[in-house]
Amino acid sequence: GPVMLCPRSHLEGIFPIVREGGGSYGLKIKDIGKVVDRYTTINPEVKAGDLVVIDYMTLHSSLPNRSSETRWAMISRYFDFLEKTGISHGWKGGLQEGNSFEQVHPELSEIKA
């Protein structure tokens, strides 16, 4: 299955998050269906060796793997240190640095029981 992208979604900034479990997979954008419906989504067809470059804040999701093979991806991130969102929260880093979304953006966080 392909990746699903919402072009230009990065322009909205950070969306409110709901935590429905542990780790990064427990983070979900609040009302994700309504958010995605605001965009025309694209599913670029990529093959082994292809490169897709998107802004790190672009809404994206992996769609279900339709093959019997493991899907592999190598992800590399580049952050522009002049980017206003990073500057506004002091470039605290992500989960790999021991931070949580709730620590960095408590005003956008909701935890479901």
Side-chain angles (χ1 to χ4, degrees), residues 64-108:
N65 186 351
R66 299 181 305 229
S67 77
S68 60
E69 303 294 321
T70 300
R71 178 174 39 201
W72 291 90
M74 182 163 65
I75 299 170
S76 181
R77 296 183 184 211
Y78 165 81
F79 295 92
D80 178 357
F81 282 98
L82 298 177
E83 200 272 325
K84 64 180 180 175
T85 304
I87 291 170
S88 73
H89 63 67
W91 292 104
K92 292 181 178 21
L95 295 172
Q96 63 273 24
E97 286 84 26
N99 295 307
S100 72
F101 189 88
E102 294 87 353
Q103 290 170 321
V104 178
H105 293 286
E107 76 284 4
L108 297 174

